[in-house]
Amino acid sequence: MALTTNVEALRRANHDFSFSLYREVAKTETGNIFYSPFSIHVIMFMASTGAASKTFDEMVATIHLNETTHSLEAYGKLLEHLTSKNDNLKLATGMFIDAAFNVKDSFVENSMKYLKSSIEKLNFKNDPEQQCRYLNNWVLNKTDNKIKDVFPKDSITESTALVLANAIHFKSAWAHQFKHVYDGSFYVTPSDKVTVKMMYLERDFQYYHDSDLKFTALELPYDHYAFKMIIVLPDAKDGLKELENNLSKINLNDISKKMAQNYLSVRLPRFKIEQSLQLNETLSNLGCPTMFSQAANFSNIVENGKLKVSKVLHKAFIDVDEYGTEAAAVTIAIQQQQSCVISFKDVNVDHPFIFFISTRCNSIIFVGRMTKID
């Protein structure tokens, strides 16, 4: 029973982390946003299992866990639930250790057993450039050639001791394919519109309208119903800012419970986003600055010698069309040594909106914001 409770606690933590991350990223990123909070959560959790004292406390709080819910066994179960039943989602975690660096057996064993991480020894000290190319190829391979060059030049140096990487790839057809594509309008602002390829479908969908917070939520299921896209569309064409200001009042589990089946006419634009994020400042602002500082304590990774996180890199990609969705993301932590009512409704997604790709149980895998379509 305790394990089931902890898996539920992890789902809630992932949900809350997804939203807190969105609020922080939205402060500095203008325009479109796309990332995988789940991928970032996995890497933060993996690194936290090697942390101690203040570093551990900060990391665990940032990913919305506590000493009770921070459970390797439960995390392993959650990953198993996500990937065992469906080929649509592929998850790969890797640990890359400098050949001259001794990592504690317990950290390696836990990462392999519970987080299904692969372990490789690389020679960062002697040939950082070649190892950088090797790591970029690993990511490319794990994301079906979608995520390229996540490691920029000079991100791997002679002082790199350890790289933790998580790659995630999702590809699925819609449960109900859009029947028609036409040239429609997308309002970037109420007075500025662009022509886009608009996809159209009429049928029963799960739908909810919130008259207090002034938004519509629409659920678009994927094939086999294991995953879904949830679109959160503000009522007003310029309502995105107000919706973002109210995000702390929005919970996907609550929305799912309030949804009812309606016969809808749905119009959704085709869209693509590719985005790179450097997360050091974002994660520090969310509550874990110590892991990036000289005071970092990763004594559960290494016996002697200091470690700190030098970079947390994230890159994500999504392509949505009338047939379905393909999305991929990768998160990297680089550590270095220190010196049922039916009524007809029209849902026209023709202005900026927020969207989520989640499991049936509302584990959020990807989050995005669409403000402009090229």
Side-chain angles (χ1 to χ4, degrees):
M1 186 62 189
L3 186 59
T4 312
T5 311
N6 272 349
V7 170
E8 276 311 309
L10 280 173
R11 285 205 180 98
R12 280 197 303 276
N14 175 248
H15 178 285
D16 296 346
F17 176 66
S18 302
F19 276 70
S20 62
L21 198 59
Y22 181 96
R23 287 192 292 272
E24 195 58 44
V25 170
K27 287 178 188 173
T28 53
E29 292 290 325
T30 56
N32 298 337
I33 291 173
F34 187 64
Y35 62 93
S36 171
F38 193 83
S39 176
I40 298 164
H41 202 274
V42 169
I43 283 300
M44 285 289 288
F45 181 84
M46 187 177 180
S48 74
T49 64
S53 63
K54 187 182 180 185
T55 308
F56 175 81
D57 294 340
E58 286 182 0
M59 291 178 81
V60 168
T62 298
I63 57 176
H64 291 265
L65 294 173
N66 56 44
E67 275 189 33
T68 310
T69 54
H70 187 274
S71 155
L72 270 160
E73 197 182 352
Y75 217 105
K77 192 58 75 181
L78 180 67
L79 295 178
E80 210 176 284
H81 284 177
L82 272 178
T83 52
S84 62
K85 293 176 187 146
N86 209 301
D87 289 339
N88 299 107
L89 187 73
K90 292 188 171 65
L91 200 65
T93 304
M95 182 189 301
F96 304 91
I97 308 161
D98 183 68
F101 196 69
N102 289 320
V103 172
K104 279 189 172 179
D105 290 345
S106 56
F107 180 70
V108 172
E109 283 159 14
N110 284 337
S111 299
M112 286 171 74
K113 181 179 175 183
Y114 296 107
L115 306 178
K116 301 291 178 273
S117 178
S118 60
I119 314 289
E120 291 185 54
K121 287 271 189 184
L122 298 181
N123 202 330
F124 294 127
K125 202 173 188 65
N126 292 347
D127 200 345
E129 269 186 46
Q130 190 186 330
Q131 307 312 330
C132 187
R133 285 194 295 274
Y134 178 85
L135 290 167
N136 275 328
N137 283 333
W138 183 88
V139 169
L140 203 57
N141 180 39
K142 299 296 183 186
T143 59
D144 201 26
N145 294 326
K146 290 297 175 287
I147 304 286
K148 298 177 172 68
D149 302 325
V150 71
F151 292 90
K153 192 171 162 46
D154 302 328
S155 58
I156 301 296
T157 66
E158 291 168 6
S159 64
T160 298
L162 177 66
V163 172
L164 306 178
N166 173 271
I168 192 164
H169 180 257
F170 171 80
K171 187 172 186 176
S172 180
W174 298 113
H176 315 294
Q177 198 173 303
F178 285 84
K179 298 294 182 213
H180 181 53
V181 178
Y182 65 97
D183 288 337
S185 296
F186 186 86
Y187 290 84
V188 180
T189 69
S191 57
D192 177 19
K193 65 180 180 181
V194 294
T195 302
V196 299
K197 290 293 181 192
M198 195 65 88
M199 312 180 296
Y200 180 79
L201 180 61
E202 276 181 32
R203 63 161 295 115
D204 287 341
F205 283 107
Q206 289 292 107
Y207 165 95
Y208 167 69
H209 181 259
D210 192 306
S211 47
D212 293 335
L213 300 178
K214 302 183 181 67
F215 71 83
T216 289
L218 168 70
E219 184 180 295
L220 299 173
Y222 288 103
D223 216 5
H224 309 305
Y225 292 85
F227 296 92
K228 57 191 175 183
M229 179 182 282
I230 297 172
I231 288 167
V232 181
L233 179 73
D235 291 352
K237 286 194 167 41
D238 58 354
L240 184 70
K241 199 77 217 152
E242 191 184 346
L243 181 66
E244 289 180 333
N245 291 339
N246 284 320
L247 265 191
S248 59
K249 300 173 189 167
I250 293 172
N251 182 300
L252 286 196
N253 292 306
D254 294 345
I255 288 175
S256 288
K257 285 175 191 155
K258 289 174 183 170
M259 278 182 165
Q261 188 167 290
N262 284 261
Y263 191 81
L264 302 177
S265 151
V266 173
R267 300 156 203 270
L268 176 70
R270 281 183 189 162
F271 63 90
K272 271 186 193 183
I273 311 174
E274 186 172 347
Q275 185 162 42
S276 298
L277 296 172
Q278 225 277 33
L279 292 170
N280 290 29
E281 197 176 329
T282 305
L283 292 168
S284 291
N285 292 344
L286 285 175
C288 55
T290 308
M291 72 184 207
F292 298 106
S293 73
Q294 300 297 332
N297 182 338
F298 286 99
S299 55
N300 289 319
I301 295 181
V302 57
E303 294 282 3
N304 41 34
K306 295 280 283 172
L307 264 188
K308 69 169 184 174
V309 176
S310 60
K311 288 184 188 71
V312 177
L313 306 170
H314 185 76
K315 193 168 184 179
F317 158 94
I318 187 168
D319 186 1
V320 175
D321 64 18
E322 59 272 30
Y323 307 109
T325 299
E326 182 165 19
V330 65
T331 307
I332 309 293
I334 300 173
Q335 295 184 286
Q336 64 181 34
Q337 294 157 323
Q338 296 176 185
S339 8
C340 273
V341 175
I342 303 237
S343 59
F344 189 82
K345 291 184 174 69
D346 189 43
V347 180
N348 192 359
V349 187
D350 67 349
H351 55 276
F353 61 95
I354 299 169
F355 65 94
F356 304 86
I357 295 177
S358 77
T359 64
R360 192 166 34 201
C361 305
N362 296 317
S363 290
I364 299 171
I365 310 297
F366 296 99
V367 176
R369 173 177 81 186
M370 205 66 218
T371 61
K372 60 181 192 291
I373 297 172
D374 301 324

